[in-house]
Amino acid sequence: QQQVKQSPQSLIVQKGGISIINCAYENTAFDYFPWYQQFPGKGPALLIAIRPDVSEKKEGRFTISFNKSAKQFSLHIMDSQPGDSATYFCAASLSGSARQLTFGSGTQLTVLP
Amino acid sequence: GAVVSQHPSRVICKSGTSVKIECRSLDFQATTMFWYRQFPKQSLMLMATSNEGSKATYEQGVEKDKFLINHASLTLSTLTVTSAHPEDSSFYICSAYRGDTFGSGTRLTVV
């Protein structure tokens, strides 16, 4: 019930291309869905987050698409750059002032120059 | 924006010794902080929830006597790895501010 499944495990994209990472969840009580970017040896940094009352959210080159009925959400990175090469994690949490996050397994993104 | 500071960033200790990791909220008060553990090329696994002024809540399988958590103030939570062994070597990360702002992590190596 608490799992968040993420795919693909790794992704290689050419510079300028679109990177797409998918996640699926089971617990319909989740109401907060963030995406994190993590570089080696660093903590995760919040990229963008969405709540289930909207189907899409865009911030710069990053877009979250959310499908509540399918219990799926995805991250799209437009015009991917070599500097975007990192590990990306989706996550989900229940409502509350302090969010205990359940993380996906991560996607290692490599953007080729 | 909210900043979570974590120290040290790296620590090497001998087997059998204890190590303390600090997690501070710099510009906000955090009644709740979370501690995660991350092995190489793996995801973050929640270890415990740290609550200011009360006992921490540990996830199943996490030894509370080995991983001591103290949250004595609204801006500081500490994780002490007691009697560390090589299998405790890992990347430890804390989070605060609604749980979605993370510290920079601590790489613990036990030799």
Side-chain angles (χ1 to χ4, degrees):
Chain A
Q1 276 287 4
Q2 295 293 327
Q3 277 191 325
V4 178
K5 296 183 179 179
Q6 183 172 346
S7 63
Q9 184 176 359
S10 62
L11 180 62
I12 299 175
V13 176
Q14 292 287 340
K15 179 181 177 181
I18 302 173
S19 303
I20 302 174
I21 304 170
N22 301 298
C23 283
Y25 63 97
E26 298 174 356
N27 190 343
T28 55
F30 285 145
D31 75 340
Y32 177 71
F33 302 89
W35 284 89
Y36 288 88
Q37 179 189 59
Q38 186 180 30
F39 292 104
K42 302 296 184 182
L46 179 64
L47 267 179
I48 186 173
I50 198 168
R51 291 193 177 276
D53 53 346
V54 296
S55 60
E56 186 175 281
K57 183 175 181 179
K58 183 177 181 179
E59 290 184 1
R61 296 186 294 112
F62 301 95
T63 300
I64 298 179
S65 296
F66 188 85
N67 186 328
K68 187 174 181 178
S69 61
K71 294 188 287 185
Q72 296 175 348
F73 58 110
S74 60
L75 175 69
H76 295 232
I77 305 175
M78 312 300 287
D79 187 26
S80 299
Q81 299 297 312
D84 296 330
S85 297
T87 301
Y88 292 81
F89 292 96
C90 64
S93 77
L94 303 172
S95 62
S97 60
R99 298 193 183 96
Q100 179 177 313
L101 295 169
T102 298
F103 281 87
S105 53
T107 297
Q108 176 68 54
L109 172 65
T110 301
V111 181
L112 301 176
Chain B
V3 177
V4 176
S5 176
Q6 189 173 339
H7 292 281
S9 58
R10 290 175 178 270
V11 59
I12 301 174
C13 71
K14 291 185 177 181
S15 185
T17 62
S18 296
V19 172
K20 180 183 286 187
I21 302 169
E22 293 187 347
C23 181
R24 293 181 184 274
S25 57
L26 296 188
D27 48 4
F28 63 96
Q29 294 183 330
T31 55
T32 302
M33 294 184 177
F34 299 98
W35 287 96
Y36 294 83
R37 184 173 181 176
Q38 185 179 33
F39 290 106
K41 298 191 182 300
Q42 292 190 22
S43 188
L44 286 78
M45 296 300 296
L46 180 67
M47 298 177 65
T49 302
S50 173
N51 302 297
E52 187 269 335
S54 64
K55 291 184 178 180
T57 303
Y58 292 83
E59 295 300 299
Q60 189 174 8
V62 177
E63 300 176 59
K64 61 180 181 180
D65 295 330
K66 182 168 190 61
F67 299 100
L68 300 180
I69 292 173
N70 184 286
H71 194 154
S73 78
L74 287 171
T75 60
L76 175 65
S77 175
T78 61
L79 169 67
T80 301
V81 183
T82 63
S83 186
H85 292 284
E87 57 266 29
D88 299 323
S89 297
S90 189
F91 193 53
Y92 293 87
I93 317 171
C94 66
S95 72
Y97 192 68
R98 302 175 307 192
D100 59 4
T101 300
F102 286 81
S104 55
T106 298
R107 171 72 62 195
L108 170 64
T109 303
V110 184
V111 298

